[in-house]
Amino acid sequence: MLPLDAVAYTNRWRPRHPAEKAFLALGLLACAVALPPWPGALVVGAVAGAVLLGPAGVAPRQAWRATRVPLGFVTVGSVPLLVAVGGSPWIRFEPSGLPTALQVAGRATAALLCLLLFAATTPLADTLPRLTRLGVPPAITEVAALMYRFLFLLLESVRTVREAQASRLGFRTWVTSYRSLAGQAGAIFVRSFDRARRMEEGLALRGYTGSLRVEVEPRPVSRPFVAAVAALLVAVVAGTWALHGTLA
């Protein structure tokens, strides 16, 4: 199980209806996108982080493990805004791009925390079966569920092949490492096709007719929670515009 999935199954908000958490996370995401990046990104990011680490009960170490790779992409995507190409010298640091880079990084980080707030509190198994009630075709949700399940099988295959190669000193030198990586890619490619074929045959033998019915645990939507989320979103919008007017 991936670390983010483990957090999604063990957090305090696990028993809550996914719609409640989606309303909070997507509402904050809309604020992060629509409000001015300064101080909107700071306010939204602080609120999302506080809710994630506080009421949701996600440990800071778990949140950092889930966000460090996306934050790396945010950093890499913001750095080119600080570079100018052309002229003399041909490539140089561009100070005028610093405000834009900070705005992009701030808005992207706030949006990342909003999405993490939903992903770290809601397992995919709770979300996909309920999407059909919103009009999503069952074929889409079923393909997503099968791909989600197949991802874990693929990661397990990668781990098994890598351990076998390491036991045979396959990563002793650069030459053997490249050879092992090439063999690993080929073995995983073949295994993936074989597992997909066996999965298709298994579904056919079980009388698959285009719909996989699963039991969904009934969970009532908490009206007080929805009202509190609405009040929080209004407070975020009002606070952001108040700070924006003060700093302008």
Side-chain angles (χ1 to χ4, degrees), residues 44 52 63 84 116 122 178-179 201 203 224 234 237:
V44 173
L52 182 68
L116 181 63
T122 311
Y178 283 124
R179 186 184 300 114
E201 292 177 353
L203 290 173
V234 172
V237 174

Side-chain angles (χ1 to χ4, degrees), residues 106 175 247:
V175 176
L247 298 174

Side-chain angles (χ1 to χ4, degrees), residues 30-220:
C31 292
V33 173
L35 293 175
W38 178 258
L42 180 62
V43 174
V44 173
V47 171
V51 173
L52 182 68
L53 301 178
V58 178
R61 179 177 57 85
Q62 295 172 326
W64 168 246
R65 289 183 63 184
T67 56
R68 58 185 178 183
V69 174
L71 284 177
F73 283 101
V74 171
T75 303
V76 171
S78 302
V79 168
L81 298 174
L82 303 176
V83 178
V85 179
S88 180
W90 183 73
I91 182 170
R92 63 190 183 279
F93 172 71
E94 182 58 48
S96 62
L98 182 59
T100 304
L102 292 177
Q103 291 178 6
V104 171
R107 198 188 291 273
T109 303
L112 171 63
L113 290 174
C114 296
L115 294 177
L116 181 63
L117 178 60
F118 181 78
T121 56
T122 311
L124 195 62
D126 290 349
T127 305
L128 289 178
R130 291 179 169 87
L131 291 179
T132 56
R133 301 177 183 178
L134 300 178
V136 179
I140 296 179
T141 59
E142 289 166 10
V143 169
L146 291 175
M147 291 179 63
Y148 177 70
R149 172 58 181 164
F150 196 75
L151 176 63
F152 293 97
L153 298 176
L154 183 62
L155 292 176
E156 179 65 21
S157 298
V158 172
R159 185 186 64 81
T160 303
V161 173
R162 186 172 182 84
E163 288 181 354
Q165 291 175 332
S167 300
R168 294 174 173 83
L169 301 179
F171 299 96
R172 183 167 45 89
T173 63
W174 283 105
V175 176
T176 57
S177 297
Y178 283 124
R179 186 184 300 114
S180 297
L181 289 175
Q184 184 182 92
I188 294 171
F189 182 79
V190 173
R191 285 193 178 193
S192 300
F193 268 87
D194 181 62
R195 286 184 178 273
R197 180 185 56 80
R198 285 189 289 168
M199 184 180 295
E200 181 183 7
E201 292 177 353
L203 290 173
L205 293 173
R206 288 170 174 81
Y208 177 70
T209 58
S211 177
L212 292 174
R213 297 185 178 274
V214 295
E215 183 179 357
V216 180
E217 180 182 355
R219 293 178 183 174

